[in-house]
């Protein structure tokens, strides 16, 4: 197994100020209100140091939450790399989007570093790789499914960074980039260009072989993969963004997310029709 810890435990340099002043960021820091500046400092510290927020992020508008998320992603870029995809995080009213950087992705056989101060949660998911750019709000199911290059089993690990009172707070979850830390990918499976994919099942097993989670379908919300992708495309469009060729879209939980309370080996089994895939990884303290 290989380790992804490398330089992630060191404190990241605050490069977002330089990037913003050079015009490389979406939002110049000098325009941030005191409330947003304070929230940015707290969210950045929580994400980088993997430490839960002691107090909730209060009175953040949706636009301010996206500003904070963008600036955090800019700051992570030297260690985590470029934007390579997005994660759909379903909430009670609106789904949030987590931004996925290239070094957040790993493959089966990985050893992952647990957070010393935060709880981790894990969920099963399916991801799609987009073969071509150009999807928009007006794209229909046929255009969307034809843009899918492959369907990939995935396990997502998140740090629980939000304050307990922010559990369903879209702005807080967005500002903290949904706490996403790792996405473990399995071997892709052949994709048939249909909006609904039959025969999908996923199961998560703990280190003693006990079942931690199980689910059916492409997500716990719907069997319609085109609908999930369309919703993500629309959400990105409101930010002035689009899905680029080669990016991965992680479609959200299959079954329940579960807390990982102990280090050790974790196994995920996936089935699509007659094909099976397995992801194995380890969590170390």
């Amino acid at each position: 197994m290989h380790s992804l810890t490398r330089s992630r435990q060191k404190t990241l340099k605050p490069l977002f100020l330089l990037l913003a002043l050079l015009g490389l960021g979406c939002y110049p820091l000098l325009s941030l209100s005191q409330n947003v500046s304070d929230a940015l400092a707290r969210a950045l510290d929580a994400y980088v140091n993997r430490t839960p927020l002691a107090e909730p992020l209060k009175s953040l508008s949706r636009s301010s939450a996206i500003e904070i998320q963008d600036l955090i992603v800019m700051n992570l870029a030297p260690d985590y790399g470029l934007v390579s995809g997005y994660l759909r995080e379903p909430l009670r009213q609106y789904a949030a989007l987590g931004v996925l950087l290239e070094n957040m992705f790993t493959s089966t056989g990985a050893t992952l570093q647990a957070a010393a101060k935060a709880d981790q949660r894990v969920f099963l998911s399916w991801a799609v790789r987009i073969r071509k750019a150009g999807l928009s709000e007006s794209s229909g199911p046929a255009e969307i499914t034809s843009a899918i290059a492959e369907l990939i089993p995935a396990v997502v690990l998140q740090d629980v960074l939000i304050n307990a009172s922010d559990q369903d707070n879209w702005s807080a979850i967005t500002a903290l980039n949904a706490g996403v830390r790792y996405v473990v990918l399995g071997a892709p499976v052949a994709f048939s260009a249909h909006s609904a994919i039959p025969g999908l099942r996923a199961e998560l097993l703990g280190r003693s072989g006990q079942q931690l989670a199980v689910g059916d379908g492409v997500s716990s919300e719907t069997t319609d993969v085109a609908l999930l992708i369309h919703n993500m495309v629309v959400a990105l469009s409101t930010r002035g963004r689009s899905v680029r060729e080669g990016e991965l879209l992680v479609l959200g939980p299959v079954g329940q997310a579960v807390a990982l309370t102990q280090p050790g080996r974790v196994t995920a089994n996936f089935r699509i029709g007659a094909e099976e895939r397995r992801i194995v990884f380890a969590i170390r303290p």
Side-chain angles (χ1 to χ4, degrees):
M1 292 185 178
H2 61 280
S3 173
L4 295 182
T5 58
R6 289 192 290 228
S7 60
R8 292 187 181 180
Q9 299 306 307
K10 67 182 181 180
T11 301
L12 297 174
K13 296 178 180 179
L15 296 177
F16 54 85
L17 176 58
L18 176 61
L19 290 170
L21 293 176
L22 290 174
L24 300 178
C26 299
Y27 310 96
L29 286 181
L30 297 179
S31 69
L32 298 181
S33 68
Q34 187 62 48
N35 177 58
V36 176
S37 296
D38 291 345
L40 169 61
R42 293 176 57 212
L44 180 62
D45 179 73
Y47 195 96
V48 170
N49 295 310
R50 306 183 72 178
T51 303
L53 291 173
E55 300 292 336
L57 290 174
K58 297 179 180 178
S59 305
L60 273 185
S61 67
R62 293 171 70 89
S63 60
S64 294
I66 293 171
E67 286 183 90
I68 291 171
Q69 183 183 38
D70 285 347
L71 290 167
I72 287 177
V73 166
M74 288 165 59
N75 192 71
L76 295 174
D79 281 343
Y80 281 75
L82 301 176
V83 174
S84 297
Y86 299 92
L87 163 72
R88 188 168 190 273
E89 175 81 354
L91 301 174
R92 187 174 303 167
Q93 290 185 307
Y94 307 102
L97 287 181
V99 180
L100 302 176
L101 304 180
E102 56 189 336
N103 290 337
M104 292 178 180
F105 291 100
T106 185
S107 58
T108 184
T111 297
L112 309 178
Q113 182 71 48
K117 300 176 183 178
D119 293 333
Q120 280 84 57
R121 72 170 204 158
V122 59
F123 63 80
L124 301 156
S125 190
W126 292 93
V128 293
R129 189 180 303 279
I130 300 301
R131 73 166 77 246
K132 61 182 180 180
L135 294 178
S136 69
E137 295 180 62
S138 61
S139 296
E143 181 182 356
I144 291 172
T145 53
S146 69
I148 299 173
E150 54 191 8
L151 185 67
I152 307 170
V155 180
V156 178
L157 284 88
Q158 298 166 299
D159 294 338
V160 181
L161 303 175
I162 61 172
N163 185 268
S165 61
D166 279 335
Q167 288 294 326
D168 204 53
N169 183 331
W170 185 97
S171 291
I173 291 169
T174 297
L176 289 164
N177 199 35
V180 61
R181 188 64 53 174
Y182 303 110
V183 180
V184 188
L185 299 175
V189 296
F191 178 76
S192 176
H194 299 287
S195 187
I197 306 172
L200 294 178
R201 187 170 179 82
E203 178 186 41
L204 188 70
L205 304 175
R207 62 180 184 177
S208 300
Q210 75 277 24
Q211 187 181 85
L212 301 177
V214 65
D216 297 301
V218 74
S219 85
S220 296
E221 299 173 277
T222 178
T223 60
D224 191 337
V225 65
L227 176 62
L228 291 170
I229 294 172
H230 183 265
N231 289 343
M232 295 179 78
V233 168
V234 170
L236 287 169
S237 177
T238 63
R239 302 182 179 201
R241 299 179 186 171
S242 59
V243 182
R244 298 175 299 180
E245 179 182 351
E247 287 188 329
L248 281 170
L249 301 181
V250 180
L251 302 178
V254 176
Q256 294 294 316
V258 296
L260 284 183
T261 57
Q262 294 180 325
R265 175 185 167 117
V266 180
T267 301
N269 296 317
F270 294 82
R271 187 180 74 236
I272 175 169
E275 294 193 65
E276 295 184 353
R277 296 290 187 271
R278 173 170 290 185
I279 294 174
V280 180
F281 61 94
I283 303 290
R284 74 175 186 184

